[in-house]
Amino acid sequence: QVHLVESGGGLVQAGDSLTLSCAAPGRTFSHYIMGWFRQAPGKEREFVAAISWSDVIYYGDDVKGRFTISRDNTKTMVYLQMNSLKPEDTAVYYCAGDQSWITSRYDYEYDDWGQGTQVTVSS
């Protein structure tokens, strides 16, 4: 397992934008999928977005049209651009990665995880 490093969380107001970043140090970035999940207090971890090496992208229904996932393969980084944030987006956001060619929505298919970064959206 590799410990991923997230950054970019914070406190924002509804309607604002925020970008999360995640680094995968030491990983061979080819055939490596990366995803974002989130967990709000009292709720189960929820899929947000995922991207494969070949840029096959999935989004969770609650964020589709507002969030954009992207990756920089030269820097082994993945980003989550979050626009039009809502209070219900408040959660700890986790970056995840796995050696695979196939993009996945399921957290159990990811071996590598970050420590999580808090995103709080006030109304």
Side-chain angles (χ1 to χ4, degrees), residues 11-90:
L11 172 63
V12 297
Q13 293 187 331
D16 285 352
S17 297
L18 199 62
T19 300
L20 305 182
S21 302
C22 175
R27 270 300 184 194
T28 300
F29 224 49
S30 61
H31 65 278
Y32 189 74
I33 61 171
M34 296 196 77
W36 290 95
F37 295 80
R38 66 186 182 185
Q39 189 166 20
K43 295 188 177 181
E44 293 187 353
R45 188 158 55 191
E46 174 189 22
F47 170 73
V48 176
I51 184 169
S52 71
W53 167 259
S54 58
D55 288 342
V56 174
I57 293 173
Y58 296 154
Y59 291 104
D61 290 340
D62 290 345
V63 307
K64 203 173 295 183
R66 298 187 298 122
F67 291 11
T68 302
I69 189 171
S70 61
R71 61 191 289 162
D72 183 338
N73 292 328
T74 63
K75 298 180 181 178
T76 63
M77 297 283 294
V78 67
Y79 306 96
L80 185 68
Q81 173 70 40
M82 304 184 293
N83 297 327
S84 303
L85 282 162
K86 305 175 182 179
E88 49 264 46
D89 293 318
T90 295

